[in-house]
Amino acid sequence: HLSLRRQRQMCIRDRDGTSCLRRAGSVAAQARCAVLVLDVDRFKLINDTYGHAAGDAALRSFADAVRRALRDGDHFGRMGGEEFALILPNTRTREAFLFAERLREAISFMTVEMREVRAFGITVSIGLSSTEPGGNSLSDALQKADRLLYSAKKGGRNRVMSELVPA
């Protein structure tokens, strides 16, 4: 689970790569934000089966897919290993859930291709939480989303788990 130290080290970047967690935290304090924690499924198996270069290619393909889905003002960054965070300002739970499902599905249809190994696919599990102005902090929402991510993993992977049922 997310340690406070790890959260401070995590840099959440927007499209032009200029903002960090502090900026995302200030946005979350002022507006409702959806908070997603994403993890590439069975990443160790990818590294063990295809090699570390293939694992790196899988992470690049995954990150590129996420970046293509970002809107202006969204924040995306790597938390460590194969785990990433995505902050969607001014986004309701239903919108965020639909966004996460579209992203999950798009990633599941991707193929990672390299000359050295046969092509392979990847999937992603996603935990979804939210912040409210004057309510829970970004740190709290990241911790909830991280717990929901692990529920998604335990539930079979390649799925989105949300703290609330989208209305």
Side-chain angles (χ1 to χ4, degrees):
H1 294 282
L2 296 172
S3 70
L4 215 43
R5 180 176 177 202
R6 194 163 139 213
Q7 289 176 40
R8 287 190 189 114
Q9 292 172 344
M10 178 180 72
C11 188
I12 305 286
R13 299 204 179 276
D14 61 17
R15 274 194 166 176
D16 60 7
T18 59
S19 69
C20 286
L21 184 58
R22 188 176 17 209
R23 182 162 177 248
S26 68
V27 169
Q30 298 169 17
R32 175 186 185 90
C33 290
V35 177
L36 290 74
V37 176
L38 308 91
D39 188 87
V40 176
D41 294 327
R42 296 186 170 94
F43 184 71
K44 183 181 180 326
L45 182 62
I46 292 169
N47 276 337
D48 292 348
T49 303
Y50 302 104
H52 290 278
D56 290 346
L59 289 179
R60 280 192 303 275
S61 295
F62 162 79
D64 288 345
V66 174
R67 282 190 201 100
R68 284 191 300 272
L70 293 179
R71 307 165 302 176
D72 288 338
D74 290 346
H75 303 270
F76 173 63
R78 188 174 185 179
M79 293 175 15
E82 67 278 9
E83 196 168 80
F84 295 78
L86 184 53
I87 313 299
L88 308 175
N90 301 308
T91 306
R92 296 188 181 279
T93 303
R94 179 168 174 70
E95 292 173 72
F97 187 84
L98 293 173
F99 174 92
E101 273 295 327
R102 282 191 305 270
L103 182 60
R104 182 201 60 74
E105 184 176 79
I107 290 167
S108 74
F109 288 123
M110 288 182 355
T111 302
V112 179
E113 296 183 22
M114 299 178 61
R115 281 180 283 179
E116 302 84 24
V117 299
R118 65 181 162 89
F120 61 93
I122 60 173
T123 60
V124 64
S125 295
I126 303 172
L128 168 61
S129 185
S130 64
T131 65
E132 292 286 339
N136 60 323
S137 68
L138 178 59
S139 176
D140 294 338
L142 281 165
Q143 288 178 356
K144 284 182 189 174
D146 194 54
R147 285 192 299 271
L148 289 160
L149 166 68
Y150 283 96
S151 294
K153 295 267 185 198
K154 288 179 186 172
R157 297 181 176 85
N158 192 27
R159 63 186 61 217
V160 177
M161 294 291 288
S162 175
E163 67 178 339
L164 301 170
V165 176

